[in-house]
Amino acid sequence: DAGVTQSPTHLIKTRGQHVTLRCSPISGHKSVSWYQQVLGQGPQFIFQYYEKEERGRGNFPDRFSARQFPNYSSELNVNALLLGDSALYLCASSQQGDYGYTFGSGTRLTVV
Amino acid sequence: AQRVTQPEKLLSVFKGAPVELKCNYSYSGSPELFWYVQYSRQRLQLLLRHISRESIKGFTADLNKGETSFHLKKPFAQEEDSAMYYCALRGLGGGADGLTFGKGTHLIIQP
């Protein structure tokens, strides 16, 4: 089992651009959550999806959106990037959106 | 609003000494508490959760609802325990299912 895989591992974007981050959950896991981790802070909850429906949303602006596909993989989209969006974006999967979260290694986004 | 506080950014102890990583939380309902650990160059992984009442790698944590705490303890620290530790909370029974994390404590075990 490859675990939770995220792509890309690193990327650099310019302010105002748009970015799409991808996550493949562990086989059999139907729930995917997204977190933002700014340097020196703990991860902050962005979204949770279960069976392709949004189950929860953290305190992030509408520039952040996500979706889950029939194969349970997920995309996180961020529009109109700001310098403050620079962070490590973590994806976590679980079987039913309950406690058993397994995290990926993350995507390091740098906005310049 | 739910909040998790880890008052120590850095904790350094000697090998063989007891370890206690503090975690306090604020939540109006019934919380579920977790400890996650991140070893150097590895991904975040679940260490333990209060519901299971397990001891993982010699670590234990007891939920104290009166003091709203979930401190992580180990009687004898080992060098391989050096890592970043995060306390996290999830509300039971409704609302967003996301975890609320503390800022983390960097534990260093000195030889």
Side-chain angles (χ1 to χ4, degrees):
Chain A
D1 192 343
V4 178
T5 57
Q6 293 187 243
S7 63
T9 54
H10 299 82
L11 75 164
I12 300 174
K13 290 285 189 178
T14 304
R15 274 179 301 176
Q17 285 188 315
H18 162 271
V19 70
T20 297
L21 310 181
R22 295 178 176 83
C23 172
S24 293
I26 289 175
S27 177
H29 283 192
K30 298 180 179 180
S31 178
V32 168
S33 300
W34 287 95
Y35 290 81
Q36 181 196 65
Q37 187 173 19
V38 175
L39 197 62
Q41 304 288 319
Q44 189 174 358
F45 173 64
I46 310 175
F47 287 111
Q48 185 186 42
Y49 277 77
Y50 176 68
E51 290 280 16
K52 295 161 288 191
E53 291 191 2
E54 183 182 303
R55 284 279 293 270
R57 173 186 282 256
N59 188 24
F60 278 81
D62 292 342
R63 299 185 296 108
F64 289 77
S65 63
R67 55 180 176 167
Q68 187 176 31
F69 299 99
N71 66 353
Y72 303 112
S73 66
S74 178
E75 284 182 353
L76 175 69
N77 295 284
V78 187
N79 291 324
L81 285 166
L82 303 174
L83 295 179
D85 295 330
S86 296
L88 180 68
Y89 288 84
L90 296 169
C91 173
S93 77
S94 65
Q95 284 189 323
Q96 294 180 324
D98 53 8
Y99 59 87
Y101 301 100
T102 302
F103 281 84
S105 297
T107 294
R108 173 74 61 188
L109 171 65
T110 302
V111 182
V112 297
Chain B
Q2 51 200 56
R3 187 169 61 247
V4 175
T5 302
Q6 293 179 251
E8 303 134 332
K9 201 170 183 177
L10 174 67
L11 183 63
S12 180
V13 302
F14 287 102
K15 177 181 171 183
V19 173
E20 183 178 45
L21 301 171
K22 290 185 168 52
C23 172
N24 289 91
Y25 67 89
S26 172
Y27 184 66
S28 56
S30 294
E32 189 172 6
L33 275 297
F34 307 83
W35 277 99
Y36 279 81
V37 61
Q38 188 167 29
Y39 301 103
S40 180
R41 296 191 186 87
Q42 294 187 28
R43 58 186 67 186
L44 199 61
Q45 57 186 284
L46 178 65
L47 181 61
L48 54 82
R49 59 189 188 112
H50 89 271
I51 287 179
S52 62
R53 294 183 159 271
E54 297 170 301
S55 173
I56 306 293
K57 299 184 179 182
F59 284 98
T60 59
D62 290 318
L63 179 60
N64 185 324
K65 291 186 177 181
E67 296 183 358
T68 59
S69 67
F70 188 57
H71 303 327
L72 183 68
K73 300 178 183 179
K74 185 170 182 176
F76 307 103
Q78 298 172 293
E79 288 186 67
E80 54 265 34
D81 295 330
S82 294
M84 197 73 191
Y85 290 80
Y86 294 95
C87 182
L89 175 154
R90 174 175 169 259
L92 291 172
D97 282 328
L99 295 169
T100 298
F101 283 87
K103 292 185 178 181
T105 297
H106 188 189
L107 177 63
I108 296 174
I109 307 301
Q110 299 192 49

